[in-house]
Amino acid sequence: MEFIVTTLQHHAELAIFLSLAIGYWVGVIKLGGFSLGTVTGTLLAAILIGQLGIEVSPQVKSIFFIMFLFAVGYGVGPQFVRGIASDGLPQALFAVVISALCLVSVYVAARIAGYDVGYAAGLLAGAQTISASIGVASDAINRLGIPPDQAKEIANHIPVAYAVTYIWGTIGTGVILSMLGPKLLGVDLEAECKRYEKEMSAGGPAGGMQSAYRRLDFRAYKIRDQIPPGTTIADAEALHESIEEGVRIFVERLRRDGKIIEFKLTTVLQPGDVVGVSGKTEVLIEKLGKYGNEVSDPELLDVPVEAVDVVLTNKAYNGKTLIELAKTDFARGVYLTKITRGATSTNIPVLAQTKVNRGDILRIGGTRANTEAAARNLGYADRPTNAADMVFVGLGIVLGGLFGAIVVPVSGIPVTLSTSGGALIAGIIIGWLRGVYPTFGRVPAPVLWFMNNVGLNVFIAVVGITAGPTFVAGIKEAGIGLFLWGFFATSVPMLLAPWIGKYIFKLDPAINLGCCGGARTSTAAAAMISEVAKSDIPLLGYTVPYAVSNTLLTMWGLVIVMMVS
């Protein structure tokens, strides 16, 4: 045991990885549906290990935190810009109001309780579950012009307040929005979601858009003599097409006189032709049986079929509904199965009137020729890759950091975004540009996860290890009052948010609570709301507020330091 302790004290890198291992293990353990999460798990593990008196270079913390903030900005970039520049503006403004309310509630609590800057910053991070603000607040404290020892003592109060207030920050937000939210709005959330889904399904097939376009079957039919003379492939497809009823078939290949030939939509079908046709199984059996006999033709049906993620970047289709996209030429032979949106990869309901936005990821299936045509028109195929464009990542962080390092004196107080705040802004810009011009700045999802998740947790591990020796004393000093003020700072904004959304911003009851969850950047709350609603409809209001509030709440780490100091 002595060997282990001595080794950890002399090799801080091992202490960091031990904190990560324990934190990730403990963080995912669920008790009654609740888990601490990897961030809190890592913090508690690091605080425990920090009791050994381990010194870690502050540069480690800075490097991983700036990497984390860039990843945050990159992930929310498309939705952030859409929120402030298009039809997402009401939801974006709602997020600004709720974020400001969260800041004010923390400031009021800190002032009444008499907390110093460190406790106030930790209260913000924990009660509003915005771990990213810890680093921004720490940088701001170090720039207050106070002695280094005093700055370190104040900064060590941040993880104390964060750990004490985080649990209710997570549980409380979900409980208030999912259980009290519908009562505050005076609605039956499940019924409202069904009503909204019905409205959004207008013009679509009775079984829903997924039932119309999800199941792909591929069969071969030999054309009989009953086919009307002069019938082209386009005529044959149109004869059985009814987008509203979910009936669509497509000729994918054609065999004539024993040979597989190229064809156009204007090609005239002849008796004896064998066509490879895709569509819903029941439609193929019911409709094509009138004009052809199903045959076995392995060669004709040997067509590359794939499912691929397509990132929507084409401005012409931004804001279009799915029913509008289904009527485009490039939708021929393509089957939509899933839509994900935003940094949290939120699942968006696939309904006829669902609007797609630039940056959305559309999961489509079909023959490779058709999926490639759709990808070219919509944006680009996001095929799996391991390589990140580190040129733009590196330059983005550097340029953002240089911008953030600019200091502007305000009433004698040096105000700056800090290098980490600048990296956040750079990430937003590059993430948005990547969504519009997909030829550069690629960061694959696994790399983004590492930068985001591991980057933050390494930073938190260093914070916990550094604060470890003084953590217990901080808990004793703050007492139960810290938890109660955290309860206040979490609960007040979430109790008011549904009413603000209802009476001021006129948000639809079906998405109101989703907007509230997004404005508090609470993925757990969004999941609890969807569970109560028995629908993903509330998530339609989640992504834009999340993108805006994730940025603002992070920067509030700087603002709360200025306000309290």
Side-chain angles (χ1 to χ4, degrees):
M1 182 61 69
E2 182 180 350
F3 167 75
I4 295 176
V5 171
T6 302
T7 302
L8 291 176
Q9 289 173 334
H10 288 85
H11 296 277
E13 67 274 17
L14 298 183
I16 292 173
F17 280 105
L18 180 59
S19 299
L20 292 177
I22 296 174
Y24 275 83
W25 174 53
V26 172
V28 298
I29 296 175
K30 289 191 174 183
L31 298 174
F34 169 75
S35 62
L36 285 174
T38 58
V39 175
T40 305
T42 299
L43 176 63
L44 295 177
I47 287 171
L48 182 63
I49 295 170
Q51 304 303 313
L52 301 177
I54 300 170
E55 294 186 5
V56 184
S57 168
Q59 294 302 319
V60 175
K61 180 174 64 175
S62 299
I63 291 171
F64 280 90
F65 186 66
I66 200 170
M67 179 177 72
F68 157 70
L69 279 189
F70 177 84
V72 168
Y74 184 93
V76 304
Q79 289 302 307
F80 182 89
V81 174
R82 188 185 84 81
I84 62 177
S86 63
D87 59 352
L89 186 58
Q91 293 182 14
L93 292 176
F94 173 75
V96 172
V97 171
I98 302 305
S99 296
L101 188 59
C102 291
L103 174 65
V104 170
S105 68
V106 171
Y107 176 74
V108 169
R111 275 304 188 196
I112 295 176
Y115 292 144
D116 64 20
V117 174
Y119 282 123
L123 182 62
L124 172 73
Q128 312 306 335
T129 59
I130 187 71
S131 310
S133 68
I134 294 176
V136 177
S138 299
D139 287 344
I141 290 172
N142 290 329
R143 294 178 181 273
L144 289 177
I146 58 180
D149 290 345
Q150 184 182 354
K152 182 179 179 181
E153 180 183 354
I154 292 175
N156 285 343
H157 291 165
I158 297 179
V160 175
Y162 174 84
V164 171
T165 59
Y166 177 85
I167 294 179
W168 178 250
T170 301
I171 298 177
T173 301
V175 168
I176 292 172
L177 293 180
S178 63
M179 297 183 181
L180 297 181
K183 294 180 175 62
L184 292 172
L185 295 174
V187 300
D188 181 336
L189 185 58
E190 184 178 351
E192 288 295 335
C193 287
K194 288 180 179 179
R195 184 265 310 163
Y196 193 89
E197 183 171 350
K198 184 177 180 180
E199 293 175 358
M200 292 288 288
S201 298
M209 291 293 285
Q210 283 187 320
S211 70
Y213 306 118
R214 188 168 188 169
R215 295 189 296 274
L216 172 64
D217 199 0
F218 196 23
R219 299 189 175 204
Y221 287 86
K222 186 174 183 179
I223 304 297
R224 296 200 294 260
D225 295 339
Q226 287 91 334
I227 187 170
T231 300
T232 65
I233 288 178
D235 294 334
E237 292 181 349
L239 185 63
H240 306 295
E241 181 176 289
S242 175
I243 294 177
E244 289 73 16
E245 297 178 4
V247 178
R248 305 188 80 187
I249 61 173
F250 304 102
V251 176
E252 306 286 0
R253 303 193 82 186
L254 173 63
R255 182 188 294 278
R256 177 170 292 169
D257 298 328
K259 297 180 180 179
I260 297 175
I261 64 172
E262 297 293 329
F263 65 89
K264 299 178 181 179
L265 291 177
T266 55
T267 299
V268 176
L269 292 173
Q270 300 176 4
D273 286 348
V274 180
V275 291
V277 186
S278 66
K280 289 175 64 178
T281 303
E282 57 268 31
V283 174
L284 296 181
I285 294 174
E286 178 184 352
K287 301 292 184 181
L288 295 190
K290 300 176 181 178
Y291 302 101
N293 299 319
E294 186 172 5
V295 297
S296 175
D297 194 331
E299 183 185 10
L300 186 71
L301 300 180
D302 185 16
V303 179
V305 177
E306 66 173 357
V308 64
D309 290 333
V310 176
V311 181
L312 177 63
T313 61
N314 192 332
K315 189 175 181 179
Y317 301 108
N318 183 47
K320 295 292 186 182
T321 63
L322 294 185
I323 200 70
E324 290 174 322
L325 288 182
K327 296 176 181 178
T328 58
D329 291 338
F330 60 80
R332 181 182 180 276
V334 174
Y335 301 79
L336 176 65
T337 62
K338 184 179 180 182
I339 304 174
T340 55
R341 178 176 296 165
T344 55
S345 297
T346 303
N347 287 328
I348 301 300
V350 180
L351 303 170
Q353 299 303 321
T354 296
K355 292 183 179 180
V356 292
N357 304 320
R358 293 172 86 177
D360 283 355
I361 299 177
L362 311 181
R363 183 77 168 176
I364 61 174
T367 64
R368 175 160 293 185
N370 289 334
T371 58
E372 288 179 349
R376 284 194 302 270
N377 283 275
L378 292 170
Y380 66 96
D382 191 23
R383 301 185 188 279
T385 180
N386 297 322
D389 190 344
M390 286 306 299
V391 173
F392 277 90
V393 171
L395 286 177
I397 291 175
V398 170
L399 294 176
L402 291 174
F403 173 74
I406 298 173
V407 178
V408 180
V410 178
S411 301
I413 300 176
V415 177
T416 174
L417 285 174
S418 77
T419 54
S420 53
L424 173 66
I425 302 301
I428 291 174
I429 295 172
I430 292 180
W432 172 71
L433 287 174
R434 166 70 181 173
V436 178
Y437 307 105
T439 56
F440 68 91
R442 178 183 178 84
V443 181
V447 178
L448 193 64
W449 177 89
F450 180 86
M451 295 175 67
N452 200 322
N453 201 292
V454 178
L456 173 60
N457 280 295
V458 170
F459 165 78
I460 290 295
V462 176
V463 169
I465 291 171
T466 304
T470 62
F471 183 83
V472 176
I475 290 288
K476 292 179 178 179
E477 178 184 341
I480 188 64
L482 185 57
F483 173 81
L484 294 177
W485 282 117
F487 184 94
F488 167 84
T490 295
S491 303
V492 169
M494 290 300 95
L495 289 170
L496 296 176
W499 284 339
I500 293 173
K502 178 179 181 178
Y503 294 110
I504 298 179
F505 289 90
K506 310 297 182 183
L507 298 176
D508 191 287
I511 65 171
N512 183 308
L513 298 178
C515 290
C516 294
R520 261 287 281 105
T521 65
S522 177
T523 305
M528 293 173 70
I529 294 165
S530 290
E531 185 176 348
V532 170
K534 298 179 182 178
S535 170
D536 286 338
I537 290 294
L539 298 180
L540 287 170
Y542 181 79
T543 55
V544 169
Y546 175 89
V548 174
S549 287
N550 200 31
T551 303
L552 291 180
L553 288 172
T554 298
M555 299 312 300
W556 286 173
L558 165 65
V559 176
I560 195 67
V561 170
M562 294 176 59
M563 293 172 70
V564 175
S565 64

